[in-house]
Amino acid sequence: MPAVQETIDQVRSIDVDQYKYGFETEVEMEKAPKGLSEDVIRFISAKKGEPEWMLQWRLDAYKRWLTMKEPNWARVSYDKIRYNDIYYYAAPKNNPAPKSLDEVDPEILKTYEKLGIPLREQEILAGVEPRNRVAVDAVFDSVSVATTFKEELKKAGVIFMPISEAIREYPDLVRQYLGSVVPVTDNFFATLNSAVFTDGSFVYVPPGVRCPMELSTYFRINEKNTGQFERTLIIADKGSYVSYLEGCTAPKRDENQLHAAVVELVALDDAEIKYSTVQNWYPGDAEGRGGIYNFVTKRGDCRGRNSVITWTQVETGSAITWKYPSCILRGDNSRGEFYSIAVSNGMQQVDSGTKMIHLGKNTTSRIISKGIAAGKSENTYRGLVSAHRKATGARNFTNCDSLLIGNQCGAHTVPYIESKNASAVFEHEATTSKISEDQMFYCLQRGLSEEEATALIVNGFVKDVLQQLPMEFAVEAQKLISISLEGSVG
Amino acid sequence: MADVTLMKTPAETGLVQAFESAKTLLPGNAESRAKAFEQFNLRGLPHRRVEEFKYTDLRALMREAAPFAGTPSAVQAKEALAGAKALAGVSALQVPFVNGHFMRDAVRFDALPEGVEIVPLAEALASGHDWLARLSPIPWAADNPVYQLNTSFMADGVMLRIAGPVETPIHLRFVTSETSAVATATRVLVLVEDRASVTLLETHESGNGTGHQPNDVVEIIAGDETNVRHVRMNAEGDQALALSTLAVKMGTEAQLTSINVVVGSAVSRHQVFANFDGENARAQINGATMVKGRQHADSTLVVEHAAPNCESRELFKTVIDDEATGVFQGKIIVPHHAQKTDGRMMSAALLLADGGSMNNKPELEIFADDVQCAHGATCGQLDEDLLFYLMARGLPKKEAESLLVQAFLGEAIEFVENDTVRDALTATVEGWLRARS
C-alpha cells in the first residue's frame, strides 16, 4: 500500500527546495593551487606543520591513488569528477591558530551562530544543564576554527583536538592508529583522502574513562570549487566510553562539490564508542543541479574483547551518498550496531548501508535501516554481514525497510549475507517480533499495534542519541525518526 | 584498481576451439550462434568480480572445457535409459535425452496424449521451424554468459506445444552416460497455449566420477489462464559441473509452480528468469538443495514483475553438510507501472557441520509505490532445543537431525500436487539423509 499522508508531509518538509543552510559566508580565503599534485600535497603538509613521516605517508597514498580506478559498482550515476579542477586546501586567512575565539573572523562565528552551533563555552554554560554540554570542533572548509572545552576534557585525560594538531602533539599515538582501520590502500576515495586530508577530529579516551561530555564535530563547506577531505580518528582505550556526534552542511551552489572523508574508530577491551551523524550536506536543487558528492569511508574496529561500536546516522542531504559505516568485530564478545534513516528527495541518490564482519567468538551485530525515497530519487541499502570460519556463536539481526513516495523514485535493497560458521545465526528481516520478543510483547499487551511497537522499540534507541544533538536540526532529525513506515517494503 | 587484461583460461581457450570446430556443423542459424558466442567471448567465463557470479566463480570452478558429446549408439542409449532412476516410479510421457541428444525412437509420436505436440529441436533448427521465432522469450536473459554459451552450442532439444489441459505428466529425462567427461547443450521450448495446463518433470542424471558439463535451458511461454507445474531434479554425478537456466514468461492469470531439487553435481548453478507479462498471474518458485563433501550449489533467481497485480512467492531451502557451499541470489524487480505487486522471497539455510558456508543475497529493486515486497534470509544450525526435545524422547542424534532436516526441506516440497512426484522427492531427501548417517 502507498505511504500515509503524514509521512508524505514530513518528507516534503525536508525536500531539497526547503534546504535552510544554503547561505554563503564571505571570508577571505587562502587556497592551495588548484588541482592535485605532489606539490599540492607538500603545500598542505607544510601548512599543517607536519613531520616528515606524515608527508611521506601522504605521498605514498598519492602514488597509489594514481594507479587506482574510480569504483562504479554503487547504484549511483554522476558526471565524471575532474579531480584537477578542485582546490584541495582552503582556509580562512589569519590561520592557523587564532589563540581564542576573539581572534576568529567574526563572519565565521556568525556562520556558526546561524547554524545554531555553540562555540562559546560561557554561552553554552549559560542556558543548558551541565550534563548536556557538548564539546564542539568546528571545521570550516580545510581547517578547524575552534574546539571548545579542550581544557576541561584534558583534565579528564581525554584528548579532543583537530587531527592536524594531534599529529604535532601526539605523533606516536596518531602514528600507531592512523590507517590501522582503513588502510591507505583501502579504496579509491579513502586513498585520495589519505593523500590530501586537511582536518578532522582526533579523540583519545584513556583507559577506564567515561568521557565527561558529548564530543562533536561540525563540518561546513563554504568555499567554491573546493573539496572537503576530513579525517577523524577516535580511540577508546580499555574500559572507556565516548559518544561522538557529527554534523555537516554546505551552501547552495550549482556546482557539485566532493566530500571524501575517512573515519576510523578503534575500541579496545571493554570500550564503547557511539558515533552519530546527521548528514545534511546541500542536496542540489529539484532538477539535480549542484549538491555535495558524499563519498566517505567509515569503519570501526572492535579490537578488544567486549567492545561495542554503534553507528547512528540520519541522512537527508547530499546529491550522492556513498557510504557504509562498518564494524570489524575482531574481539570476542564484541558488538556492532548500525541504525540508519536515509531520506532522499528530488534527484538525490543514496547508496548506503553497513558491513558487519564477524571475526571473533560470540560477536553480535544488529542492523536497523530505514530508507525513504521521494521525488525522483534513488535510495539503495547495501549491506554485508559475514561470519568468518572462527566466528563461533556469531549472531546478527538485520531489518531494512524501504518506503517509496510516488512512483518516480526507486528503493532497492542489496544485502549480502555470508556465513562460514555453522554456529553463526544470521537473520535478515525475519519477523519484526524478533527484535526483542519481551519488549514487543510488553508493547502489544498495552494495546499498541505491531507497527507502532516496532517503531517505539527501534526509535527509542535512536532518539536516545539524537536528543543530545547540539544542532538546530536535531528537532528535524527526531521528527524523521518518528516517520511511520506503514506501507513499507522489504 | 589498476586495469588488468585477463588471460584466457584453458577452459575459455577450449570453448573458443570447440566453437570454431562446431559452428559449421551445428544446425540452424549460424549468425545468431556466432553473435551469442561473440558476446560470451568478449567477457569470457564469469568470475567473482562479475556481480551475478560473485559467489560462483566459473573461471576458477571450470578448469577445462569438456568436449561436446556425440550422438550415442542405440545400444548405449538403451542401456543409459534402462539405468535411469530419477523419478522412475512416476508414470509419465517419457521424453528422453542421452548425452544431450533427443532419443526420438523412444517416443511414440502416434500415441501422444491429446493436446501435446513434440518437435525435435535439431530438425526444427535445420528446417527453420515457425516456433523458433519464440525462442528466447526473455530478452534480458540473452546477456547472461551461461545462457549465451547454451545459445552458442545448443545442438538438440525439443519444442513442446501444449494445447488444452494435459493430465499425464511429461518427463524430460536427461541422462549422460559417457565414461569420459563430455559437455552437452540442450534447449527445450514449451509453448503452453491459453487455458492449457501441464505438469513438466525434468531430471538430470549421470554417473559418479566423471566431470560432465551439462548446460541446459528450458524456456516456458505460458499463455493466459494457463497452469504450469514444473519439477526439476539435479541428480548428476558427484564430479559434474551443471549449469542450467529456466526462463518463464507468464500471461494474464497464468499460474506457475516450479521446484528445483539439487542433490548432485560437484558444482551446480540453476538460474531462474521469470517474467510476469500479464496481470493477475501467480508464481511459486522453490528450491530444495542438499549438499555435502565439497559440493557447491548456486540458485540464482530474477523475477521481473513487468505487469501489475501479480504475485510471486519464492522459497529456497539449503542444507549444507561437511565443507559444502550454498549460494542463493534472488532479485525481485518491480518497475514503475507494476502497482499492487505482491512479492515475497525467502531463503533459509541450515549448516550441519563446521566448515560449510552459505552466501545469501536476497535483493529488491522497486520503483512502484503501492506494492508489497518482502525478502528474508536466515542461516544457522539446527535448533538445539528441538534436537534436545527429540533426543529426550529416545531418538538417536542422527535420527533427530534427519527428522528436523526433513521438516525443514519439506516446506519447500509440500506444494507439489502430484502425490507420486512429491513422494519421490521426499524419498530423495530421505535417501540423502540416510547416506549421511
Side-chain angles (χ1 to χ4, degrees):
Chain A
M1 62 187 192
V4 295
Q5 190 57 41
E6 198 189 342
T7 309
I8 296 173
D9 293 343
Q10 270 170 326
V11 171
R12 172 74 195 117
S13 71
I14 51 156
D15 204 344
V16 290
D17 52 13
Q18 309 286 316
Y19 194 70
K20 285 188 212 151
Y21 311 102
F23 61 89
E24 202 172 329
T25 312
E26 291 284 336
V27 198
E28 209 180 335
M29 297 293 276
E30 180 184 14
K31 288 190 267 195
K34 206 182 216 178
L36 186 53
S37 65
E38 282 199 13
D39 290 342
V40 171
I41 291 168
R42 283 176 200 282
F43 175 89
I44 294 172
S45 188
K47 271 279 159 207
K48 303 274 175 198
E50 287 175 354
E52 180 61 27
W53 64 265
M54 195 63 237
L55 173 65
Q56 208 47 52
W57 200 79
R58 288 173 180 275
L59 291 173
D60 288 348
Y62 176 62
K63 274 189 207 117
R64 174 77 186 199
W65 181 74
L66 289 175
T67 67
M68 292 169 103
K69 265 177 119 177
E70 204 170 318
N72 58 6
W73 46 262
R75 205 193 166 91
V76 296
S77 64
Y78 52 92
D79 291 337
K80 240 183 144 26
I81 299 171
R82 289 193 301 270
Y83 291 93
N84 273 326
D85 280 354
I86 301 174
Y87 288 102
Y88 287 83
Y89 180 86
K93 275 225 170 110
N94 301 328
N95 223 280
K99 288 203 179 48
S100 73
L101 274 185
D102 301 332
E103 288 175 34
V104 175
D105 190 325
E107 282 300 315
I108 297 177
L109 292 181
K110 258 187 228 159
T111 306
Y112 284 94
E113 235 162 71
K114 266 197 205 166
L115 295 168
I117 311 301
L119 291 185
R120 287 181 194 277
E121 293 178 18
Q122 60 274 35
E123 284 170 15
I124 309 166
L125 288 168
V128 193
E129 289 282 310
R131 63 185 167 83
N132 286 345
R133 280 177 307 161
V134 177
V136 181
D137 180 17
V139 177
F140 193 82
D141 286 324
S142 302
V143 292
S144 166
V145 292
T147 309
T148 59
F149 290 110
K150 254 164 112 172
E151 288 310 312
E152 195 173 334
L153 286 167
K154 211 170 173 182
K155 267 183 226 152
V158 176
I159 305 172
F160 177 48
M161 57 170 58
I163 198 158
S164 50
E165 265 178 66
I167 290 170
R168 291 194 299 267
E169 291 180 31
Y170 302 95
D172 295 340
L173 211 48
V174 175
R175 209 169 171 178
Q176 185 185 348
Y177 289 105
L178 190 71
S180 73
V181 184
V182 179
V184 172
T185 53
D186 193 77
N187 70 69
F188 184 82
F189 295 109
T191 308
L192 175 64
N193 176 287
S194 302
V196 302
F197 75 88
T198 43
D199 232 328
S201 301
F202 175 81
V203 178
Y204 173 79
V205 191
V209 171
R210 195 179 164 89
C211 188
M213 62 182 86
E214 304 276 330
L215 305 182
S216 105
T217 305
Y218 193 91
F219 295 100
R220 173 79 180 168
I221 294 182
N222 186 59
E223 191 58 23
K224 275 199 284 264
N225 295 322
T226 55
Q228 194 173 54
F229 305 91
E230 88 267 5
R231 185 127 193 157
T232 298
L233 175 59
I234 300 178
I235 303 143
D237 214 322
K238 291 178 184 169
S240 65
Y241 167 88
V242 61
S243 167
Y244 179 91
L245 316 155
E246 173 196 73
C248 28
T249 59
K252 280 187 187 178
R253 289 216 179 82
D254 280 352
E255 51 161 332
N256 295 108
Q257 282 178 284
L258 178 62
H259 172 249
V262 172
V263 175
E264 297 178 281
L265 312 183
V266 180
L268 302 181
D269 290 359
D270 306 305
E272 179 171 355
I273 302 176
K274 270 191 189 180
Y275 192 106
S276 318
T277 308
V278 178
Q279 188 266 102
N280 204 357
W281 293 117
Y282 177 54
D285 66 10
E287 271 80 53
R289 270 190 306 266
I292 304 290
Y293 291 165
N294 190 29
F295 299 158
V296 301
T297 308
K298 294 186 169 183
R299 196 172 302 154
D301 189 352
C302 286
R303 213 165 274 184
R305 294 171 60 85
N306 311 322
S307 53
V308 180
I309 289 181
T310 304
W311 296 99
T312 306
Q313 57 172 30
V314 177
E315 301 272 319
T316 54
S318 298
I320 300 174
T321 302
W322 185 99
K323 84 174 205 192
Y324 314 91
S326 313
C327 294
I328 301 169
L329 303 167
R330 201 187 301 273
D332 292 348
N333 314 325
S334 58
R335 189 168 88 224
E337 291 177 356
F338 175 77
Y339 300 90
S340 167
I341 295 149
V343 185
S344 57
N345 264 306
M347 303 283 280
Q348 282 178 282
Q349 303 175 58
V350 180
D351 194 307
S352 181
T354 184
K355 289 185 207 174
M356 292 292 172
I357 299 162
H358 294 257
L359 302 176
K361 292 188 177 57
N362 302 318
T363 47
T364 53
S365 63
R366 184 189 299 184
I367 300 171
I368 309 282
S369 163
K370 298 179 173 194
I372 301 169
K376 291 179 180 168
S377 66
E378 298 279 338
N379 201 326
T380 305
Y381 167 82
R382 190 185 300 275
L384 166 75
V385 178
S386 77
H388 190 260
R389 234 168 244 300
K390 288 180 182 155
T392 309
R395 187 87 175 77
N396 165 266
F397 173 79
T398 302
N399 183 336
C400 51
D401 291 332
S402 332
L403 183 67
L404 291 96
I405 298 177
N407 64 354
Q408 301 288 305
C409 50
H412 318 296
T413 320
V414 193
Y416 299 80
I417 304 140
E418 306 172 1
S419 173
K420 284 191 163 48
N421 188 300
S423 67
V425 178
F426 288 172
E427 280 169 86
H428 179 95
E429 209 57 13
T431 55
T432 44
S433 62
K434 284 269 167 64
I435 288 179
S436 159
E437 282 175 8
D438 293 353
Q439 289 180 343
M440 189 61 122
F441 177 73
Y442 184 89
C443 296
L444 293 181
Q445 212 195 20
R446 271 147 190 79
L448 295 182
S449 70
E450 201 164 304
E451 165 91 8
E452 284 166 337
T454 312
L456 194 71
I457 296 164
V458 172
N459 302 344
F461 178 85
V462 186
K463 258 187 191 153
D464 203 32
V465 177
L466 287 170
Q467 259 159 3
Q468 304 175 47
L469 285 178
M471 294 106 198
E472 189 183 272
F473 49 70
V475 185
E476 274 166 39
Q478 278 176 21
K479 261 193 226 150
L480 281 177
I481 312 259
S482 62
I483 286 182
S484 152
L485 282 200
E486 210 175 317
S488 67
V489 290
Chain B
M1 221 170 320
D3 252 331
V4 262
T5 327
L6 289 176
M7 295 277 292
K8 282 231 177 297
T9 64
E12 285 168 342
T13 319
L15 285 168
V16 173
Q17 283 164 359
F19 188 72
E20 283 306 313
S21 55
K23 65 182 182 188
T24 49
L25 305 171
L26 288 166
N29 186 336
E31 214 173 289
S32 57
R33 283 180 195 278
K35 196 176 146 211
F37 192 75
E38 195 191 337
Q39 282 173 339
F40 165 79
N41 198 32
L42 209 63
R43 293 178 296 188
L45 282 169
H47 45 87
R48 65 191 180 86
R49 293 226 172 264
V50 176
E51 184 65 23
E52 292 76 21
F53 289 82
K54 185 177 161 63
Y55 298 117
T56 301
D57 185 338
L58 284 183
R59 241 174 97 93
L61 291 167
M62 187 170 169
R63 298 268 164 74
E64 273 169 28
F68 278 82
T71 319
S73 69
V75 181
Q76 192 190 357
K78 205 172 171 190
E79 264 178 29
L81 291 175
K85 295 189 291 281
L87 301 184
V90 182
S91 77
L93 169 67
Q94 297 291 321
V95 181
F97 297 80
V98 176
N99 298 349
H101 294 274
F102 174 48
M103 298 292 105
R104 59 172 310 154
D105 295 345
V107 178
R108 288 190 52 202
F109 281 87
D110 54 347
L112 292 176
E114 205 186 320
V116 178
E117 251 180 282
I118 301 180
V119 178
L121 187 72
E123 284 168 30
L125 286 168
S127 66
H129 198 282
D130 290 347
W131 297 352
L132 290 175
R134 300 183 68 182
L135 277 177
S136 309
I138 299 182
W140 43 264
D143 195 45
N144 180 279
V146 170
Y147 187 88
Q148 282 164 353
L149 271 184
N150 182 281
T151 308
S152 314
F153 288 101
M154 61 181 180
D156 210 344
V158 288
M159 296 198 290
L160 300 175
R161 194 169 83 129
I162 313 295
V166 175
E167 288 301 321
T168 321
I170 299 176
H171 188 161
L172 302 158
R173 181 185 288 287
F174 296 81
V175 183
T176 307
S177 76
E178 284 296 327
T179 46
S180 61
V182 288
T184 60
T186 53
R187 174 83 58 118
V188 172
L189 175 69
V190 185
L191 302 173
V192 186
E193 302 292 348
D194 293 352
R195 285 169 294 283
S197 65
V198 66
T199 299
L200 288 170
L201 309 175
E202 192 195 333
T203 57
H204 300 261
E205 53 196 311
S206 57
N208 284 340
T210 30
H212 297 309
Q213 297 178 347
N215 180 336
D216 330 293
V217 173
V218 172
E219 300 185 312
I220 302 173
I221 303 179
D224 298 346
E225 294 169 53
T226 51
N227 190 346
V228 178
R229 298 162 294 255
H230 172 247
V231 175
R232 181 179 191 280
M233 190 194 292
N234 173 343
E236 297 278 3
D238 60 4
Q239 295 300 311
L241 186 155
L243 305 174
S244 54
T245 308
L246 170 69
V248 195
K249 185 172 178 167
M250 279 171 288
T252 306
E253 287 177 41
Q255 303 267 342
L256 167 83
T257 60
S258 172
I259 183 168
N260 182 39
V261 177
V262 180
V263 281
S265 306
V267 176
S268 65
R269 174 171 166 113
H270 183 61
Q271 322 182 110
V272 179
F273 301 135
N275 167 283
F276 286 93
D277 197 35
E279 288 194 41
N280 298 313
R282 186 181 195 281
Q284 170 90 49
I285 302 167
N286 285 15
T289 301
M290 291 150 269
V291 280
K292 60 185 176 187
R294 299 184 63 85
Q295 278 181 285
H296 176 110
D298 176 336
S299 301
T300 292
L301 169 83
V302 183
V303 179
E304 185 191 29
H305 280 267
N309 291 309
C310 293
E311 188 180 303
S312 73
R313 294 283 179 274
E314 293 84 25
L315 178 62
F316 283 76
K317 297 266 182 157
T318 310
V319 178
I320 298 159
D321 201 1
D322 305 326
E323 292 177 7
T325 307
V327 178
F328 171 77
Q329 300 184 99
K331 189 194 241 182
I332 298 181
I333 304 171
V334 184
H336 296 301
H337 60 274
Q339 298 292 7
K340 304 278 179 202
T341 290
D342 182 353
R344 262 164 228 190
M345 175 163 64
M346 181 69 201
S347 163
L350 264 185
L351 281 88
L352 298 179
D354 283 335
S357 51
M358 179 68 198
N359 300 306
N360 266 319
K361 188 181 159 203
E363 217 179 314
L364 298 176
E365 202 176 301
I366 300 165
F367 296 94
D369 58 345
D370 188 9
V371 300
Q372 284 190 48
C373 277
H375 63 169
T378 62
C379 66
Q381 56 191 2
L382 283 171
D383 191 326
E384 293 286 338
D385 293 349
L386 297 179
L387 269 179
F388 177 78
Y389 181 90
L390 292 174
M391 285 161 72
R393 270 145 192 82
L395 284 186
K397 187 163 187 232
K398 282 277 174 189
E399 230 169 279
E401 279 181 6
S402 293
L403 205 61
L404 291 174
V405 171
Q406 266 184 55
F408 176 78
L409 288 171
E411 215 186 315
I413 293 172
E414 65 191 3
F415 76 95
V416 175
E417 282 172 33
N418 185 314
D419 292 341
T420 33
V421 175
R422 193 178 56 241
D423 291 348
L425 296 182
T426 310
T428 307
V429 174
E430 285 166 0
W432 186 82
L433 287 167
R434 256 198 311 280
R436 182 176 173 258
S437 47

